[in-house]
Amino acid sequence: EDKSHTLEIPLMESGTADLSLGWFRTLGTWPIEVIPDQPPSASILLVTATERAGTKINFDARDDYGIKSLTATVEPAENVPPASWQEIITFPVPFIRNATADMQNHTENLAAHAMAGTAVKMTLTAEDDAGNITTSAPEYFVLPERTFENPTAARLNLERKRLMYFNN
C-alpha cells in the first residue's frame, strides 16, 4: 500500500535487526543468524555396466542450499598409453536439486564411443548457486562396450578396434 516500505541490505554477519520509528519507538526486533554457504559435496558410490552396455552411475550429491549443476567427466586412466582416438567425455548428470536420499543414479550410454572397452576414470563436478565447485574422487573402471552375438559383427568390431588402436 501507500504506507508500505521495503528495505534491502546485504547481511554480512549475525546480529539483531531493530526497526524503530523515530528515536524512542521500537516497532520490532529480530535476531538474524548468517550461515555461510558451504561448498557442495559429490561422490561416486558405484559404476556398473547395464544389460545393454550402458554406464550406470550411483552417486551422492548435496549442498546446503542446493546444487545448480552436476557434470560427469570420463577420461582415459593414467595407465592407458596415449592415443589419437582418446578424448575427454563430458556430460550433464540429472540430479535431484535438494536431495535427502543417500543415493541417486543415472545411466549414460557410452558403448558406441571409441574408448569403450578400455580403462577410464570418471569424476563428478558439482556447482552450487554461489559458484562453489567441488570435484569427486575419481572412480576407475572399464567403459562398457557392446557385445556382439553374431560372429561376423564381433569380428568386424574387433578389426575396427585393432585398426583404431594400432594405427595412431
Side-chain angles (χ1 to χ4, degrees), residues 13-105:
E13 58 186 46
S14 298
T16 303
D18 297 318
L19 180 62
S20 300
L21 181 63
W23 291 95
F24 302 106
R25 185 169 177 211
T26 301
L27 299 176
T29 301
W30 296 271
I32 296 176
E33 182 180 0
V34 175
I35 302 170
D37 186 34
Q38 299 297 314
S41 67
S43 59
I44 300 172
L45 304 175
L46 181 67
V47 178
T48 56
T50 65
E51 190 175 298
R52 296 186 179 243
T55 303
K56 183 176 181 180
I57 311 159
N58 293 326
F59 64 93
D60 185 32
R62 299 170 189 245
D63 185 61
D64 46 359
Y65 294 106
I67 292 176
K68 178 172 83 173
S69 68
L70 187 63
T71 306
T73 303
V74 178
E75 56 189 301
E78 291 85 2
N79 62 348
V80 176
S84 62
W85 50 267
Q86 295 171 342
E87 63 180 323
I88 296 174
I89 306 166
T90 304
F91 56 91
V93 177
F95 61 95
I96 301 169
R97 182 170 165 87
N98 292 314
T100 55
D102 289 340
M103 183 173 60
Q104 299 182 54
N105 64 66

Side-chain angles (χ1 to χ4, degrees), residues 116-138:
T118 62
V120 295
K121 73 175 179 177
M122 177 187 287
T123 55
L124 292 179
T125 302
E127 181 178 4
D128 67 9
D129 290 325
N132 296 317
I133 297 174
T134 299
T135 301
S136 71

